[in-house]
Amino acid sequence: MSGKFSRRQFARLAGLAALGMAATPANSANTKQNRAADRRAPAGFPKDFVWGTATSAYQIEGAVNEDGRGRSIWDTFAHTPGKIGDSSTADRANEHYYRYKEDVRLIRDLGVRHYRFSVAWPRIFPDGTGAPNPKGLDFYNRLIDELLANGIEPYATLYHWDLPQALQDRVGGWQSSDTSKAFADYAGYVAGRLTDRVKTVFTLNEAGRFVNFGYGWGIDAPGLKLPTAELNQARHHVALGHGLAVQAIRSQARAGTRVGPAENIAACVPAFDTPENVRAAEMATRELNAGLLGVMLEGKYTDGFLEYSGKDAPKFTADELKIIGSKNDFVGLNIYAPQFYIAASDKAPGWSVLPFPGSFPHMNSEWLRIGPETIYWAPRLAAKVWNIETIYISENGTSSEDKVHADGKVYDLDRIMFLRNYLRQLHRAVAEGVPVRGYFLWSLMDNFEWIFGYEKRFGLYHVDFDTQRRTPKLSAAFYRDVVARNAIGV
Ligand code: BG6
């Protein structure tokens, strides 16, 4: 090495070499290693595998008072002091309502051809029911046309938590089956107008999350802490809303429209892979999801669920169960973290939930425990328990402490680590014949993260919420590569 090399230059070169970026003789000395790497065939996905990204209306649109939009329970909640970590609101969020063309280009730049967005119910029916607001629907017409013009297939979710406030005020929101019926009317109305271009419709996003967090624990909008019996009843109305919506969509949508839920399945993972633990995790999957996904897919509550709920069990009719069990064309599963590690047990019911040690690792969000195998086991067990033929991973992704560096880049290596490991496990599932047909990465860009406000970032694109500047993170390049190769490397 020339004596003129300063320590600083040396350190810089050493750093680049560590990144594998220095096209210097040092690199050619590595050719043996490179050849070995070439031999490690990447894990390829089926030719028609769907690679997408996802967002939701309230988290990105902003424009809360534009074009006749009604108020949602999240507007009220976010404006209630003390509810949002950084005291922010989504009044502006990503201004996607005005910047949607730019955002569609961001999707296109990823090479992604599938995009899951949500329709804001209060834009379509500002009062929840009654007179529709054509200007609200126009926004989604513009968005869909822009997506299609860019070669991107739209997937619409009808409910991503932004319930019209009017319904909360009038009937107590999901506490009343009037809301289930209103949801079906809205779903049918939207399906009748968008399914000439939107072929896949998700009914409810994460019913389990919004009902438990919103009506049980008071953490999310509308911030209620209902007693168990009332919470179980609200959950039943949510399931009923899904079933009624499936029927309304089928009656008003174009032929060939596919419909299903996007549920945050209570993800059960065998503590380790033995036939006994796998069988135990299967049983646990059925019982721990009996209140929503189970009843949607079986048209009945399990005996275990009814016994466990006892006097707090929901009240229902046989007709309602039939509606709830209306056939879906697919099941969307949002998979982030392992929720329950399960082991076989000698005692009834034959399985037990293991406690998490305090040292269990998590990502930037504390709730987001790292368990890549979850995206293998949850769809595999769900497909087995309910005989599901088509599954989409309707959400997966992570928050990360993203910073724009002096060079203008965001080096979100922890997100890449997370995605690489989850996608390897997803590949394992697909290779073994688990019927997962697609994957939607959460999220296209940083957004309003509910009770965390703008403190948590899940995007492939960094968003500066003062300037609205979008910057691709390193993970955007990573995902672009996965999509382009239709494969995940080692
Ligand atoms: C999913 C939701 O549960 O998790 C998304 O469908 C949400 O809307 C994401 O953004 C992250 O959740 P949180 O609670 O960390 O904001």
Side-chain angles (χ1 to χ4, degrees):
M1 185 188 297
S2 145
K4 288 188 185 147
F5 251 57
S6 71
R7 281 168 69 90
R8 207 174 134 141
Q9 277 170 317
F10 177 74
R12 192 176 148 264
L13 271 183
L16 284 175
L19 286 169
M21 285 162 74
T24 60
N27 220 24
S28 55
N30 259 344
T31 45
K32 206 168 154 202
Q33 195 182 323
N34 287 347
R35 278 202 304 274
D38 287 345
R39 282 202 302 272
R40 285 199 295 267
F45 283 79
K47 191 159 89 286
D48 53 355
F49 194 78
V50 164
W51 294 107
T53 62
T55 61
S56 91
Y58 187 68
Q59 292 178 275
I60 62 169
E61 285 179 1
V64 290
N65 295 316
E66 206 69 21
D67 291 335
R69 175 186 180 274
R71 207 174 163 75
S72 83
I73 54 172
W74 268 97
D75 294 302
T76 307
F77 195 71
H79 278 270
T80 308
K83 298 297 184 194
I84 307 298
D86 61 0
S87 305
S88 63
T89 71
D91 290 0
R92 274 186 72 198
N94 299 43
E95 295 184 352
H96 172 74
Y97 195 78
Y98 309 112
R99 296 171 185 270
Y100 68 93
K101 287 191 179 174
E102 179 190 345
D103 293 337
V104 169
R105 280 200 298 279
L106 301 183
I107 306 170
R108 196 191 58 192
D109 289 349
L110 293 170
V112 162
R113 310 294 290 264
H114 306 269
Y115 174 57
R116 175 175 171 243
F117 64 95
S118 84
V119 177
W121 183 351
R123 286 200 195 280
I124 313 296
F125 288 97
D127 289 326
T129 55
N133 170 36
K135 284 191 171 175
L137 194 72
D138 279 353
F139 169 67
Y140 299 102
N141 279 319
R142 292 196 294 278
L143 172 64
I144 290 164
D145 289 345
E146 187 68 16
L147 288 164
L148 291 172
N150 281 278
I152 299 162
E153 185 178 342
Y155 293 65
T157 304
L158 296 176
Y159 186 81
H160 203 124
W161 312 353
D162 42 2
L163 182 77
Q165 180 65 45
L167 277 170
Q168 190 61 43
D169 295 342
R170 275 206 309 274
V171 299
W174 292 104
Q175 284 189 262
S176 163
S177 61
D178 285 356
T179 296
S180 325
K181 290 176 199 135
F183 177 59
D185 290 344
Y186 149 71
Y189 177 86
V190 172
R193 281 149 189 85
L194 299 187
T195 53
D196 54 336
R197 289 153 294 154
V198 177
K199 301 294 167 213
T200 311
V201 178
F202 295 90
T203 53
L204 303 168
N205 181 73
E206 296 199 355
R209 157 85 185 254
F210 77 74
V211 71
N212 291 323
F213 281 51
Y215 290 83
W217 307 328
I219 300 169
D220 282 354
L224 301 179
K225 294 182 184 169
L226 299 178
T228 310
E230 288 176 45
L231 175 62
N232 286 343
Q233 198 60 43
R235 194 181 298 108
H236 177 71
H237 295 149
V238 168
L240 182 61
H242 162 79
L244 286 168
V246 171
Q247 298 193 347
I249 292 164
R250 291 218 192 286
S251 80
Q252 300 201 41
R254 296 285 175 101
T257 306
R258 302 173 322 140
V259 57
E263 186 53 4
N264 58 324
I265 181 173
C268 297
V269 176
F272 51 93
D273 189 349
T274 64
E276 296 76 23
N277 285 347
V278 173
R279 177 71 197 120
E282 250 170 57
M283 293 190 283
T285 296
R286 181 163 183 250
E287 287 305 333
L288 294 172
N289 287 287
L292 277 167
L293 200 54
V295 70
M296 289 177 189
L297 298 176
E298 297 184 32
K300 64 174 187 189
Y301 290 111
T302 63
D303 295 341
F305 172 81
L306 293 176
E307 231 166 78
Y308 173 82
S309 307
K311 62 173 185 16
D312 293 328
K315 308 214 173 344
F316 55 85
T317 66
D319 264 3
E320 286 173 349
L321 290 184
K322 222 168 137 196
I323 294 166
I324 294 171
S326 299
K327 187 158 168 34
N328 299 285
D329 299 298
F330 61 83
V331 174
L333 300 178
N334 290 5
I335 307 281
Y336 288 90
Q339 265 149 307
F340 302 105
Y341 279 100
I342 304 292
S345 165
D346 294 339
K347 297 200 197 97
W351 50 273
S352 60
V353 173
L354 305 183
F356 277 96
S359 56
F360 201 95
H362 63 77
M363 298 299 292
N364 183 240
S365 299
E366 274 180 37
W367 63 264
L368 218 172
R369 291 185 176 122
I370 305 167
E373 69 278 17
T374 316
I375 208 167
Y376 167 80
W377 285 108
R380 174 178 150 172
L381 296 173
K384 172 90 192 300
V385 170
W386 295 295
N387 207 14
I388 306 171
E389 284 168 16
T390 303
I391 293 175
Y392 289 102
I393 303 300
S394 31
E395 282 180 29
N396 170 248
T398 183
S399 58
S400 167
E401 202 183 293
D402 300 320
K403 287 199 173 45
V404 182
H405 285 256
D407 61 1
K409 305 249 164 70
V410 181
Y411 299 103
D412 54 340
L413 294 166
D414 53 348
R415 178 173 289 106
I416 293 175
M417 175 278 291
F418 177 96
L419 293 173
R420 184 193 296 116
N421 283 289
Y422 273 68
L423 289 175
R424 291 288 300 182
Q425 290 286 333
L426 180 64
H427 177 265
R428 178 183 166 207
V430 173
E432 286 181 19
V434 178
V436 179
R437 312 288 180 217
Y439 171 90
F440 292 84
L441 199 154
W442 185 271
S443 181
L444 172 64
M445 54 185 166
D446 299 338
N447 58 34
F448 176 79
E449 273 307 332
W450 307 112
I451 57 166
F452 303 106
Y454 300 99
E455 279 172 349
K456 296 289 178 202
R457 296 178 175 271
F458 277 77
L460 290 172
Y461 286 88
H462 179 275
V463 178
D464 177 325
F465 290 99
D466 293 326
T467 62
Q468 289 296 339
R469 188 186 158 89
R470 280 83 160 129
T471 306
K473 302 177 189 174
L474 195 59
S475 59
F478 165 81
Y479 193 48
R480 188 188 304 119
D481 184 60
V482 169
V483 175
R485 291 196 298 154
N486 195 28
I488 176 78
V490 284

